[in-house]
């Protein structure tokens, strides 16, 4: 199993040629990459897209690497049904990184005076995007007290040759690290790696406790330590086998306009005053591939973000309600939970556990175990037939949520809602569901009564 992006791409293309599409015609990073991906999504096609020629840049672009669970599962050699198990195992048994002194990403280096972000094929995807931006950069930063590394995706807005705006959600880990250093008047050293094995996305999107090393989780997912190089600038680590790495600093007490960008919420949101990164150095492999995750509400973003989120939410809810059956994130800020409810009040316990585990979460619907939570028709049926609003809805105003929720009154401050759509007092005591007796269903052979070919 390869542990870098290009190794994964080569293996996946070989084994699944129909899910890998090389585009030879030149495309414009402004809108055209997004247009091709959008048209394919409309046809329900989600191949990895490898753009060989991108206008104005020497780098080829790959996108849609995370577009299906199958691709991500293949990259770590598991069954797509086993994500929850595998992810929680990696969280519980992380494999620490290994420091190395050299690696493929050290093949080429561009120093401070030469760095020019414009060389990268940064995209504009949708009407309403403020500038070209990097979406698939994994930002690594070190907590100043524990020395522990944090990984996260953070959009980086092109602002000049060696300057980018960075969006760090208030309340998430990277923002906390930045705040701790800013309190001391110090800049935050970061590395940004672009073009990583898919396990990196799963690690960067870990939503659990502050201080857990996502590098260890990535190692756990890969089954071996990630190899990291110590940067010269501030000793910050970066992956030895990334395609492209930027080293830089986020300045303290500096805010400039950032955004808006068309986001995973489905809206152009998040215009505000935000910190700025100064890029000091770039490392890259020979023939480096620029990885992109199409900005906005596309499959790729939703699929990759949902895998760690569902694993973590399941675990958090299970500690409050041991009989939780399944969890599903069908849309931004929303969660559906199914459980075998033993006692009244457990649906509410699950809601509170979920809200505590994931800040972005705003609406939770809890249903009984007889509902397939991946079928939204069934979920709405349960809400329609098992809920009374005055009794079954809890509302928690004034809680920290997503800064990208356009319905929030103050930025990032939202009202959380839980809908208890379980049968009351219990499923067994509730009105019986329509069901033809099983014995009759098993006995009766349809083709003895009906000629199906004629229908
Ligand atoms: C493609 C992509 C882009 C993202 N961009 C941002 C961003 O610009 N700012 C942000 O705060 N979170 C962004 N996220 C979500 C964070 O990476 C995610 O919430 C992560 O768990 C935060 O990690 P942290 O709490 O360790 O900082 C993005 C996620 C994806 C998949
Ligand atoms: Mn984190």
């Amino acid at each position: 199993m390869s542990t870098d992006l290009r190794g994964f791409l080569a293996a996946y293309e070989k084994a699944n040629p129909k899910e890998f599409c090389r585009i030879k015609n030149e495309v414009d990073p402004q809108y055209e990459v997004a247009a091709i991906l959008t048209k394919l999504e409309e046809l329900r096609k989600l191949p990895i897209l490898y753009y060989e020629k991108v206008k104005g840049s020497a780098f080829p672009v790959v996108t849609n690497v995370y577009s299906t669970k199958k691709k991500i599962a293949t990259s770590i050699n598991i069954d797509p049904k086993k994500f929850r198990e595998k992810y929680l195992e990696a969280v519980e048994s992380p494999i620490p990184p290994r420091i190395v002194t050299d690696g493929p990403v050290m093949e080429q280096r561009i120093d401070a005076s030469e760095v020019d972000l414009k060389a990268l094929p940064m995209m504009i995807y949708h009407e309403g995007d403020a500038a070209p931006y990097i979406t698939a950069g994994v930002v690594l930063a070190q907590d100043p007290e524990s020395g522990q590394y944090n990984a996260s995706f953070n959009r980086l807005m092109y602002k000049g040759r060696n300057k980018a705006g960075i969006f760090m959600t208030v309340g998430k880990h990277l923002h906390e690290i930045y705040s701790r250093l800013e309190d001391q008047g110090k800049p935050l050293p970061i590395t940004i790696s672009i073009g990583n094995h898919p396990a990196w996305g799963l690690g960067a999107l870990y939503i659990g406790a502050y201080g857990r090393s996502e590098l260890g989780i990535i190692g756990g997912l890969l089954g071996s330590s990630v190899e990291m190089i110590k940067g010269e600038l501030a000793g910050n680590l970066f992956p030895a086998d990334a395609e492209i790495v930027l080293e830089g600093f986020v300045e303290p007490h500096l805010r400039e306009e950032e955004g808006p960008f068309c986001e995973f919420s489905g809206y152009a949101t998040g215009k505000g005053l935000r910190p700025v990164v100064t890029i000091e150095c770039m490392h890259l492999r020979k023939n480096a591939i620029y990885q992109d995750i199409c900005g906005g509400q596309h499959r790729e973003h939703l699929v990759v973000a949902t895998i760690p989120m569902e694993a973590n939410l399941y675990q958090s809810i299970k500690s409050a309600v041991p009989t939780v059956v399944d969890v599903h994130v069908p849309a931004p800020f929303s969660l559906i939970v199914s459980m075998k409810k033993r006692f009244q009040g457990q649906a509410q316990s699950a809601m509170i556990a979920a809200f505590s585990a994931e800040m972005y979460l705003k609406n939770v619907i809890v249903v009984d175990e007889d509902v397939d939570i991946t079928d939204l028709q069934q979920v709405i049926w349960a809400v329609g037939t098992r809920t009374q609003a005055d009794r079954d809805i809890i509302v928690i105003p004034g809680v920290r949520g997503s800064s990208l929720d356009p319905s929030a009154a103050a930025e990032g401050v939202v009202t959380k809602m839980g809908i208890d759509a379980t049968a009351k007092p219990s499923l067994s005591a509730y009105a019986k569901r329509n069901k033809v007796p099983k014995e009759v269903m098993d006995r009766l052979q349809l083709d003895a009564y009906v000629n199906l070919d004629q229908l």
Side-chain angles (χ1 to χ4, degrees):
M1 197 178 86
S2 63
T3 56
D4 64 354
L5 176 66
R6 59 177 74 186
F8 165 72
L9 292 176
Y12 202 82
E13 181 177 18
K14 193 154 179 248
N16 307 274
K18 290 184 119 181
E19 293 174 46
F20 197 103
C21 179
R22 284 180 181 274
I23 295 172
K24 297 194 185 304
N25 309 19
E26 185 177 86
V27 290
D28 195 324
Q30 179 159 335
Y31 304 131
E32 288 189 0
V33 165
I36 291 168
L37 186 128
T38 303
K39 278 175 182 280
L40 284 167
E41 279 187 342
E42 284 167 5
L43 299 170
R44 301 201 178 277
K45 303 230 179 269
L46 301 162
I48 291 174
L49 294 169
Y50 191 95
Y51 298 91
E52 293 184 354
K53 262 190 251 155
V54 180
K55 194 174 157 186
S57 177
F59 295 90
V61 170
V62 68
T63 191
N64 257 357
V65 169
Y66 294 105
S67 59
T68 59
K69 285 191 170 178
K70 179 187 160 190
K71 295 185 184 79
I72 309 172
T74 304
S75 81
I76 51 171
N77 216 359
I78 62 162
D79 179 329
K81 292 198 183 72
K82 293 276 158 56
F83 268 120
R84 186 162 76 207
E85 236 172 300
K86 180 72 188 177
Y87 200 83
L88 293 175
E89 184 193 305
V91 171
E92 286 314 310
S93 314
I95 300 179
R98 206 156 61 82
I99 312 289
V100 296
T101 51
D102 201 3
V105 77
M106 301 305 271
E107 283 169 358
Q108 296 176 61
R109 176 194 166 103
I110 302 172
D111 287 318
S113 59
E114 299 284 310
V115 161
D116 188 357
L117 290 174
K118 254 273 134 75
L120 300 175
M122 295 171 290
M123 313 277 167
I124 295 184
Y125 307 96
H126 301 100
E127 293 169 342
D129 286 341
Y133 70 120
I134 299 171
T135 54
V138 175
V139 176
L140 286 173
Q142 198 177 20
D143 177 80
E145 281 126 52
S146 68
Q148 198 67 267
Y149 274 87
N150 188 71
S152 55
F153 286 111
N154 297 84
R155 71 187 192 195
L156 293 150
M157 171 178 170
Y158 175 71
K159 277 181 171 277
R161 186 181 71 77
N162 63 347
K163 209 171 123 178
I166 182 165
F167 179 42
M168 302 178 274
T169 300
V170 172
K172 290 274 181 182
H173 301 160
L174 181 63
H175 187 270
E176 176 60 24
I177 296 177
Y178 174 65
S179 304
R180 288 179 182 196
L181 280 157
E182 192 176 48
D183 286 348
Q184 303 169 33
K186 291 184 185 159
L188 168 69
I190 59 170
T191 60
I192 302 158
S193 70
I194 304 168
N196 305 288
H197 183 277
W200 280 81
L202 296 182
L205 291 159
Y206 175 64
I207 59 161
Y210 181 87
R212 283 255 188 178
S213 170
E214 280 123 358
L215 295 181
I217 297 174
I218 298 164
L221 291 168
L222 289 169
S224 61
S225 294
V226 290
E227 297 195 339
M228 306 296 291
I229 291 175
K230 230 175 175 28
E232 288 164 33
L233 283 179
N236 249 35
L237 299 182
F238 56 82
D241 57 8
E243 293 291 325
I244 302 167
V245 166
L246 308 171
E247 288 191 69
F249 298 93
V250 192
E251 311 294 343
H253 306 297
L254 173 66
R255 301 291 187 274
E256 286 183 12
E257 203 160 272
E258 194 265 358
F261 290 102
C262 289
E263 272 288 353
F264 74 104
S265 57
Y267 300 93
T269 45
K271 182 176 175 181
L273 292 173
R274 304 226 161 74
V276 175
V277 189
T278 307
I279 306 297
E280 298 278 348
C281 162
M282 191 189 300
H283 306 276
L284 58 165
R285 293 174 77 147
K286 281 194 195 122
N287 305 315
I289 306 166
Y290 179 88
Q291 186 176 8
D292 174 62
I293 296 177
C294 187
Q297 197 173 48
H298 293 281
R299 288 309 308 155
E300 185 173 23
H301 188 138
L302 301 179
V303 167
V304 64
T306 299
I307 294 168
M309 206 180 282
E310 287 180 350
N312 198 70
L313 285 167
Y314 176 83
Q315 192 189 38
S316 302
I317 294 171
K318 199 175 173 74
S319 61
V321 181
T323 48
V324 60
V325 173
D326 205 358
V327 302
H328 176 49
V329 174
F333 317 142
S334 306
L335 174 71
I336 305 166
V337 181
S338 61
M339 63 165 61
K340 188 174 162 54
K341 188 179 72 174
R342 289 195 194 279
F343 312 107
Q344 282 284 59
Q346 283 187 307
Q348 289 70 13
S349 300
M351 293 167 194
I352 292 164
F355 289 139
S356 307
E358 167 55 353
M359 190 181 84
Y360 271 24
L361 201 58
K362 193 173 69 166
N363 298 325
V364 179
I365 300 175
V366 184
V367 297
D368 293 297
E369 58 184 323
D370 64 327
V371 175
D372 173 0
I373 59 175
T374 62
D375 179 351
L376 295 183
Q377 174 72 32
Q378 286 194 42
V379 174
I380 298 300
W381 166 81
V383 172
T385 61
R386 294 176 180 177
T387 301
Q388 292 297 320
D390 60 343
R391 181 193 62 193
D392 298 327
I393 293 183
I394 62 170
V395 172
I396 314 171
V399 192
R400 199 78 223 158
S402 168
S403 324
L404 300 176
D405 177 355
S407 67
E411 188 184 294
V413 182
V414 305
T415 298
K416 311 241 167 178
M417 173 175 70
I419 301 178
D420 174 3
T422 60
K424 284 99 197 167
S426 67
L427 192 56
S428 57
Y430 207 62
K432 292 285 159 274
R433 286 183 70 164
N434 306 346
K435 194 169 145 202
V436 178
K438 186 171 183 309
E439 177 270 320
V440 182
M441 287 295 276
D442 289 348
R443 171 166 52 80
L444 195 139
Q445 295 302 314
L446 197 53
D447 55 10
Y449 298 84
V450 177
N451 185 347
L452 282 172
D453 294 337
Q454 280 183 351
L455 290 177

